[in-house]
Amino acid sequence: MKALLKTTFFLSLFCFSFNGYAQQELEKPSIIPQPVSLRLLNDHFLINNETVLELAGDQKELKPAADFFISYIKGISDYTLAIKKAKTNVITLKKVNNPLLGEEGYTLLVNKDGIQIAANGRAGIVYGMQSIFQTLPQIQTNAALQIPGMEITDYPRFKWRGMHLDVARHFFSPDMVKEYIDLMASYKINTFHWHLVDDQGWRIEIKKYPALTDVGAWRVDQNKRVWSSRPLAKPGEPATYGGYYTQKQIKEIIEYAAIRNVTIVPEIEMPGHVASAIAAYPQLSCSQHPQLPLTGGDYGPVAANYCAGNEEVYTFLEDVLTEVLALFPSKYIHIGGDEVNKTAWKNCPKCQARMKTSGLKDEHELQSYFITRMEKFLISKQRRMIGWDEILEGGLAPEATVMSWRGEAGGIEAAKMKHQVIMTPSNPVYFDQYQAGPEGEPMAIGGFNSLKEVYHYEPVPEEMTVEDAKYLLGAQANVWTEYIVTKSHLEYMVLPRMLALGEVLWSPAARKNWVDFSDRLKYHFNGFDQKGYHYSPGNYTVAIKPLINQGKLSAELLVEATKGDIFYTLNGDQPSTASLKYTGPISIDSTATLKAIYALDGALMGLVPAKQSFVFDLATAKKVNYVNPQAKIYSADGPNSLTDGIRGTTSLQQYWHGFNGKDLIATIDLGQQSTIGTATLGCLQNYDEWVILPQWVKFEASADGVNFKELKTVNHTVPVDEKYTLLHDFKAVFKPVTARYVRVTAKVLDALPKGHSGAGLPAWIFADEIILTK
């Protein structure tokens, strides 16, 4: 499918070539992110072998920028530009003092005589260059280096514009990391969050502790298995898969990024997610037992926390951080702090003794003690700490910056406490999740964050006050690599979503326009083709959205593309351009299988249609009232998701209503007295995500909605610690009764079991579809 899509795009987008064949497009540069202001001039400038660069201002500061420009032009042409003064055919880099532009803004003027890029510093100069580069060929051709006449004034909306990359689960070469940085810089993303340490791999050379890379950087090769089904390694299995970056390589990458105005923020995980460190130095764990070889899948029984009561741990981490700080000039250092399974601490004499001597009431405060102690060390070195939002547990370290990934609540809370915040909510800026499909797409961890959803993300939550928003530095997208092993797969997952993020974080909110962005994006696809990048050509998957209105069910068909038509069938047949054309919501009044596909200019975009089965029963489209509201982040398609005719799947993000630590108590109003003989509630279990089947489900019936009679209570035999994701129907069969109201109660598991990362904390219930039949 991908090859077909790329061919279609190449044919349809030929006139959008970067090389300037079409004068019309030269007059409308497709710059991403959208500049603050852009005025077109009826003019252009042509770079040739006689073009020179002139530096107006601090030569020491501007010379690296000039060298960067010269190198880029040399890479796409035979021209080697000189640095010298000239009256015409000159590109001037000028340092100014313009408060409007800030540290990263720039002005750009292009006319027939030359180009002038002006900024307060080198960062703005380079960003002005990036806007020019987007009008030029991306590889060496015989095309003219023609830049359209224009005046631009531009500066970013947010200070922190970030992309994250997890190299712990899968190691990516230094060259791939440089390519990633190049992509970021092209779209004015200025912060690279480098996730160098996790359970599955330690990727940074620490000279004082060589076993971290000799042992911790390698694991048993199980890449042929799906990540979630990889077993623990067996004693003696060879650890052959992995890799790490030498300090020399890291210095080179940091220098490479700095030229492009990308700051690298290293993440050295602690106090959890460190099985790789403990494999190398078992004495750092509470158990101090030698570990099995690393694998990359099941880490349940493996020691993965540093011992918070062991003084040697703090000495070790200060030594590690000392070497890290000597490499990375970033003001911020990320220490992780997420998903700490505190069971080991509860059973550790040293940890319990530390809690007693330090006056800590529980293990949450012990984590805060650990984080605060490491923050004091970083502050003593004139650095600032960043941690995931779990560092709020037990009390936030005094000057820590919070990276909010579990929605935005942690970031809102931290801002109220006057702490700096970076938003990274899994929905919509986790780029390891599906962006289309999932049929026809490469395997992803789950979820669904499409290009359009990324583009419409607003980093400032509605709940955040103007005063609190002052602490919001910006946002970033995260790329976790459980399912991303290759360079081509990584490119595909970030392109073009990275471009949407760049515009979200740079351009004024009022300048954002989805249709205009989509048109500009086509121009960049051609550049990706020139460079041989793998990318998602667009989300042409038709979204099927159930609608309930006055007791009637219908289906709305949506697609992110801005042009074209949707065709559908209701009998399960493969749709084509000869099928029914979608013109508005489709009535669903019986059990049906809806398939839909998108066509552009008469050509089907993709071979795999969207598919949705609707189960029609007595409860379908009926109103549902909850005693306990579902969690905001798991609201599915609205308050009547339990009766929309759609069954939940193993994906957490679609169709499920989630309840954390609270029972599901739902009452369905059938609208009239009806005969009922069976009742079913569908539920999900996903151990790793804290989603556990309810302990039992009770069904009750009522004629008046006040007095209920129990019909049946249904139990199950699925173990609480069953780690494979599964769907389960709680089905009750009983003597038929006549009732208007049916109440369903699902009892939540009050405490996750020992050995679970959330041991002792309440589980989630994920429920979808109540089915009632005669």
Side-chain angles (χ1 to χ4, degrees):
M1 181 182 77
K2 185 175 177 183
L4 175 63
L5 289 173
K6 280 200 170 185
T7 300
T8 304
F9 261 87
F10 180 77
L11 292 174
S12 63
L13 303 178
F14 182 79
C15 66
F16 292 98
S17 170
F18 274 89
N19 58 26
Y21 290 152
Q23 179 66 24
Q24 181 181 6
E25 283 309 306
L26 285 178
E27 294 173 354
K28 297 180 180 179
S30 296
I31 296 172
I32 296 176
Q34 180 83 275
V36 173
S37 70
L38 185 156
R39 186 171 72 91
L40 298 174
L41 305 177
N42 188 21
D43 209 341
H44 67 269
F45 178 72
L46 190 67
I47 297 177
N48 56 39
N49 208 29
E50 304 301 319
T51 303
V52 300
L53 275 84
E54 181 178 346
L55 310 185
D58 185 338
Q59 302 286 307
K60 184 177 181 181
E61 182 172 10
L62 296 177
K63 177 66 163 52
D67 290 342
F68 177 55
F69 192 93
I70 292 168
S71 175
Y72 186 90
I73 297 302
K74 182 65 177 176
I76 61 171
S77 71
D78 291 327
Y79 304 150
T80 301
L81 307 186
I83 300 176
K84 63 181 182 180
K85 290 187 176 183
K87 292 183 178 180
T88 59
N89 200 7
V90 61
I91 299 170
T92 303
L93 311 182
K94 184 177 182 181
K95 187 171 181 181
V96 296
N97 183 14
N98 184 342
L100 175 67
L101 301 179
E103 295 180 1
E104 297 179 291
Y106 64 94
T107 60
L108 172 64
L109 173 63
V110 181
N111 57 33
K112 67 180 186 302
D113 294 324
I115 298 173
Q116 182 186 91
I117 306 173
N120 295 331
R122 187 171 59 85
I125 296 291
V126 172
Y127 286 137
M129 291 176 179
Q130 294 290 3
S131 293
I132 291 173
F133 295 162
Q134 289 187 23
T135 70
L136 295 172
Q138 300 298 285
I139 59 174
Q140 187 164 352
T141 67
N142 294 322
L145 304 188
Q146 185 169 295
I147 303 160
M150 54 186 166
E151 287 183 341
I152 291 177
T153 299
D154 205 9
Y155 46 84
R157 182 183 177 199
F158 291 102
K159 183 177 181 180
W160 186 291
R161 306 180 303 280
M163 283 293 302
H164 157 285
L165 179 62
D166 165 24
V167 297
R169 288 171 177 85
H170 287 290
F171 177 75
F172 291 93
S173 71
D175 285 343
M176 182 62 224
V177 172
K178 289 178 179 178
E179 178 189 302
Y180 200 79
I181 291 167
D182 275 330
L183 285 168
M184 291 173 53
S186 295
Y187 300 102
K188 302 181 176 70
I189 296 173
N190 66 353
T191 305
F192 175 38
H193 176 173
W194 203 359
H195 187 79
L196 290 162
V197 173
D198 214 304
D199 287 326
Q200 298 83 5
W202 185 287
R203 304 297 182 209
I204 176 173
E205 178 189 21
I206 302 298
K207 293 183 177 180
K208 190 168 184 177
Y209 298 100
L212 288 171
T213 45
D214 290 347
V215 175
W218 306 94
R219 64 175 184 255
V220 175
D221 188 349
Q222 295 187 353
N223 281 335
K224 292 183 179 180
R225 298 175 183 263
V226 175
W227 182 270
S228 58
S229 65
R230 296 179 182 184
L232 286 169
K234 298 176 183 178
E237 280 192 279
T240 59
Y241 180 80
Y244 65 93
Y245 307 97
T246 67
Q247 293 196 4
K248 180 181 178 181
Q249 289 172 327
I250 288 172
K251 288 177 181 177
E252 290 174 353
I253 292 170
I254 291 170
E255 291 175 1
Y256 187 88
I259 292 170
R260 292 155 178 79
N261 294 324
V262 173
T263 298
I264 302 181
V265 175
E267 181 177 355
I268 308 299
E269 186 78 56
M270 63 183 81
H273 281 296
V274 290
S276 55
I278 293 170
Y281 297 100
Q283 69 271 23
L284 301 176
S285 69
C286 292
S287 67
Q288 301 192 350
H289 294 156
Q291 304 291 291
L292 292 170
L294 300 174
T295 58
D298 183 359
Y299 274 76
V302 174
N305 288 3
Y306 291 125
C307 177
N310 184 353
E311 196 62 27
E312 184 181 349
V313 166
Y314 300 99
T315 301
F316 166 80
L317 287 173
E318 288 181 5
D319 289 342
V320 168
L321 289 174
T322 296
E323 293 194 33
V324 170
L325 299 181
L327 291 169
F328 292 90
S330 167
K331 176 172 70 173
Y332 294 95
I333 303 295
H334 205 300
I335 54 81
D338 60 311
E339 298 178 328
V340 180
N341 182 346
K342 301 176 179 66
T343 302
W345 291 355
K346 291 179 180 179
N347 301 320
C348 173
K350 288 184 178 179
C351 289
Q352 294 303 307
R354 175 79 65 181
M355 289 170 57
K356 185 175 181 180
T357 58
S358 300
L360 308 175
K361 68 179 182 181
D362 57 24
E363 285 73 21
H364 290 303
E365 290 195 358
L366 180 60
Q367 174 169 311
S368 181
Y369 166 88
F370 190 111
I371 298 296
T372 300
R373 184 163 172 178
M374 298 316 301
E375 185 193 42
K376 288 180 180 178
F377 174 77
L378 289 173
I379 290 174
S380 74
K381 304 297 183 181
Q382 290 77 51
R383 305 297 181 95
R384 297 195 64 162
M385 171 187 287
I386 297 178
W388 301 109
D389 54 63
E390 285 95 330
I391 67 172
L392 289 163
E393 297 172 2
L396 186 55
E399 298 182 31
T401 298
V402 172
M403 193 167 272
S404 187
W405 71 277
R406 296 179 300 178
E408 295 175 330
I412 294 169
E413 180 184 352
K416 290 182 182 298
M417 299 164 64
K418 313 303 181 189
H419 284 263
Q420 292 181 338
V421 172
I422 301 156
M423 291 298 188
T424 66
S426 58
N427 182 10
V429 290
Y430 266 38
F431 289 179
D432 54 333
Q433 297 186 11
Y434 287 104
Q435 58 193 314
E439 293 84 2
E441 288 289 295
M443 183 174 286
I445 198 168
F448 191 87
N449 289 328
S450 70
L451 176 68
K452 189 174 184 179
E453 289 172 325
V454 175
Y455 189 78
H456 286 301
Y457 175 54
E458 172 48 54
V460 183
E462 292 181 1
E463 302 92 329
M464 186 174 279
T465 67
V466 174
E467 182 62 29
D468 292 342
K470 294 177 182 178
Y471 295 92
L472 179 60
L473 296 180
Q476 74 176 32
N478 293 337
V479 183
W480 304 99
T481 59
E482 285 92 338
Y483 293 87
I484 303 172
V485 181
T486 65
K487 172 181 179 290
S488 60
H489 194 174
L490 177 59
E491 290 171 348
Y492 189 87
M493 298 306 282
V494 301
L495 298 176
R497 289 187 285 190
M498 182 188 287
L499 282 66
L501 179 73
E503 189 146 312
V504 167
L505 298 177
W506 179 281
S507 304
R511 293 279 284 161
K512 287 172 58 181
N513 182 297
W514 168 248
V515 174
D516 181 63
F517 173 78
S518 298
D519 288 342
R520 282 180 283 128
L521 192 61
K522 298 170 187 177
Y523 191 78
H524 294 259
F525 284 166
N526 196 37
F528 296 158
D529 282 330
Q530 289 182 16
K531 289 184 173 181
Y533 289 162
H534 296 76
Y535 62 95
S536 173
N539 179 20
Y540 299 118
T541 303
V542 178
I544 302 174
K545 181 180 179 180
L547 300 174
I548 294 177
N549 184 26
Q550 296 182 345
K552 302 293 184 181
L553 175 65
S554 60
E556 183 180 15
L557 305 184
L558 305 167
V559 69
E560 292 190 353
T562 56
K563 300 174 183 177
D565 299 299
I566 300 173
F567 298 89
Y568 72 94
T569 62
L570 277 170
N571 59 1
D573 286 351
Q574 185 84 352
S576 68
T577 54
S579 302
L580 295 169
K581 183 177 178 180
Y582 178 74
T583 58
I586 305 161
S587 177
I588 306 292
D589 54 14
S590 63
T591 296
T593 298
L594 172 61
K595 289 187 176 181
I597 200 161
Y598 172 77
L600 180 64
D601 297 329
L604 296 180
M605 304 303 289
L607 302 178
V608 182
K611 176 183 176 182
Q612 184 60 64
S613 295
F614 289 88
V615 178
F616 206 87
D617 62 275
L618 293 173
T620 304
K622 300 304 188 291
K623 185 176 181 180
V624 180
N625 290 312
Y626 287 128
V627 172
N628 301 315
Q630 75 274 12
K632 182 179 178 181
I633 60 173
Y634 294 115
S635 58
D637 54 33
N640 292 325
S641 184
L642 289 185
T643 60
D644 62 7
I646 296 178
R647 302 301 309 271
T649 69
T650 54
S651 170
L652 296 181
Q653 300 298 327
Q654 293 179 296
Y655 311 128
W656 296 105
H657 272 182
F659 301 81
N660 182 220
K662 297 179 180 179
D663 298 337
L664 179 159
I665 307 173
T667 301
I668 301 95
D669 181 357
L670 300 178
Q672 61 184 8
Q673 299 293 330
S674 304
T675 301
I676 307 164
T678 69
T680 303
L681 176 69
C683 292
L684 174 73
Q685 177 147 320
N686 186 319
Y687 181 88
D688 290 341
E689 299 295 337
W690 300 25
V691 179
I692 305 297
L693 293 178
Q695 297 182 61
W696 47 259
V697 174
K698 179 170 66 176
F699 299 95
E700 301 170 281
S702 170
D704 58 9
V706 177
N707 301 296
F708 284 86
K709 179 180 178 181
E710 181 177 343
L711 299 173
K712 194 168 187 178
T713 296
V714 182
N715 299 305
H716 67 89
T717 58
V718 178
V720 171
D721 59 356
E722 172 59 68
K723 294 182 176 60
Y724 291 100
T725 300
L726 57 88
L727 304 172
H728 182 80
D729 282 346
F730 290 81
K731 184 174 183 180
V733 180
F734 41 83
K735 184 178 179 179
V737 299
T738 300
R740 175 172 172 172
Y741 300 91
V742 176
R743 185 164 66 195
V744 182
T745 303
K747 177 60 181 174
V748 71
L749 181 67
D750 295 317
L752 291 162
K754 290 183 178 179
H756 192 281
S757 61
L761 297 174
W764 283 81
I765 288 177
F766 268 39
D768 183 56
E769 213 56 25
I770 294 173
I771 301 173
L772 303 176
T773 60
K774 294 182 179 179

